[in-house]
Amino acid sequence: MSGTLVLVRHGQSEWNLKNLFTGWRDVDLTDQGTAEALAAGEKLKARGLKFDIAYTSALKRAQKTCQHILDIVGQSELKTIRDQALNERDYGDLSGLNKDDARKKWGEEQVHIWRRSYDIAPPGGESLKDTGARVWPYYLHEVQPHVLRGETVLVAAHGNSLRALIMALDGKSGEEIVKLELGTGVPVIYKLNADSTVAKKEVLEG
């Protein structure tokens, strides 16, 4: 029996728009971000998808994206579990800083290393590897069992928490996964076999 896992990065946030490092800071969606979340719902509705359960982070930009999607597919009251295990990567001392200002303070190369290396964390923050160390066990114990029972599961989260999941699902290396760009509000649909291997993957862009 195959199940369906739908991953969606939250719509554009206020700090995405301002080019700030966000991490665990709890910022809202922009009008564009709301529109992206609603558009994601429309794409999933067009596929006739109905969810058995939804998961999201402890941050409102992901929570609102999740709710907008559920509203569009006609499942506003669906059981939704919020957990900080699915939160964005913690950027530590970079949080709240403009990315250009961070480059002036620490240098272009150092900031690039913090943003795009797999296992080097910014001061006081997490690397992508650290993020995966909390995301993947949560997925294995809480989310995957529903999918393996043949259910359809929605996960609305963040660029790096979803990268950590995709890394494991797609069997990518640390070097490969940091190059992956996830668009805001773009659904990624996985069909999983009963043995948890990926039967099919589809990205609903455009």
Side-chain angles (χ1 to χ4, degrees):
M1 182 184 295
S2 64
T4 302
L5 174 67
V6 178
L7 308 179
V8 184
R9 181 186 175 193
H10 63 79
Q12 183 193 62
S13 76
E14 293 171 342
W15 283 17
N16 289 147
L17 181 61
K18 294 177 180 177
N19 199 34
L20 306 179
F21 286 100
T22 312
W24 283 42
R25 300 289 182 88
D26 201 12
V27 302
D28 212 338
L29 296 175
T30 61
D31 289 344
Q32 178 181 323
T34 297
E36 289 171 347
L38 293 170
E42 293 290 356
K43 291 172 187 174
L44 296 169
K45 181 181 180 181
R47 295 299 176 95
L49 283 171
K50 289 291 185 181
F51 298 103
D52 295 289
I53 192 168
Y55 290 87
T56 189
S57 75
L59 302 170
K60 62 187 173 187
R61 59 192 185 273
Q63 293 171 5
K64 288 189 174 183
T65 297
C66 186
Q67 192 60 54
H68 287 316
I69 290 170
L70 294 177
D71 290 344
I72 291 292
V73 301
Q75 293 187 278
S76 298
E77 303 302 319
L78 184 72
K79 181 179 180 181
T80 300
I81 297 173
R82 300 172 176 181
D83 199 289
Q84 69 178 23
L86 295 174
N87 277 15
E88 176 59 294
R89 174 185 172 191
D90 184 353
Y91 278 104
D93 293 353
L94 299 183
S95 299
L97 292 181
N98 182 283
K99 292 172 184 176
D100 292 330
D101 291 341
R103 293 184 186 101
K104 290 174 186 174
K105 181 174 181 178
W106 283 290
E108 178 88 33
E109 183 177 351
Q110 182 62 67
V111 172
H112 181 75
I113 289 170
W114 286 332
R115 290 189 69 199
R116 288 295 180 240
S117 65
Y118 174 63
D119 56 3
I120 300 175
E126 295 177 308
S127 65
L128 181 56
K129 183 178 181 180
D130 296 329
T131 307
R134 60 175 162 83
V135 172
W136 186 242
Y138 183 78
Y139 170 78
L140 287 176
H141 291 104
E142 301 295 333
V143 182
Q144 183 175 264
H146 290 278
V147 185
L148 297 187
R149 287 198 293 268
E151 296 178 14
T152 299
V153 180
L154 171 64
V155 177
H158 306 265
N160 284 299
S161 53
L162 293 179
R163 277 192 186 95
L165 277 183
I166 291 170
M167 177 180 178
L169 290 167
D170 290 4
K172 291 184 178 293
S173 67
E175 187 175 294
E176 290 171 324
I177 200 62
V178 295
K179 298 174 184 175
L180 175 69
E181 292 297 333
L182 283 174
T184 49
V186 176
V188 181
I189 303 174
Y190 284 91
K191 286 283 189 180
L192 297 187
N193 297 315
D195 63 357
S196 80
T197 56
V198 176
K200 183 181 179 182
K201 177 185 178 183
E202 186 177 10
V203 182
L204 302 185
E205 293 182 300

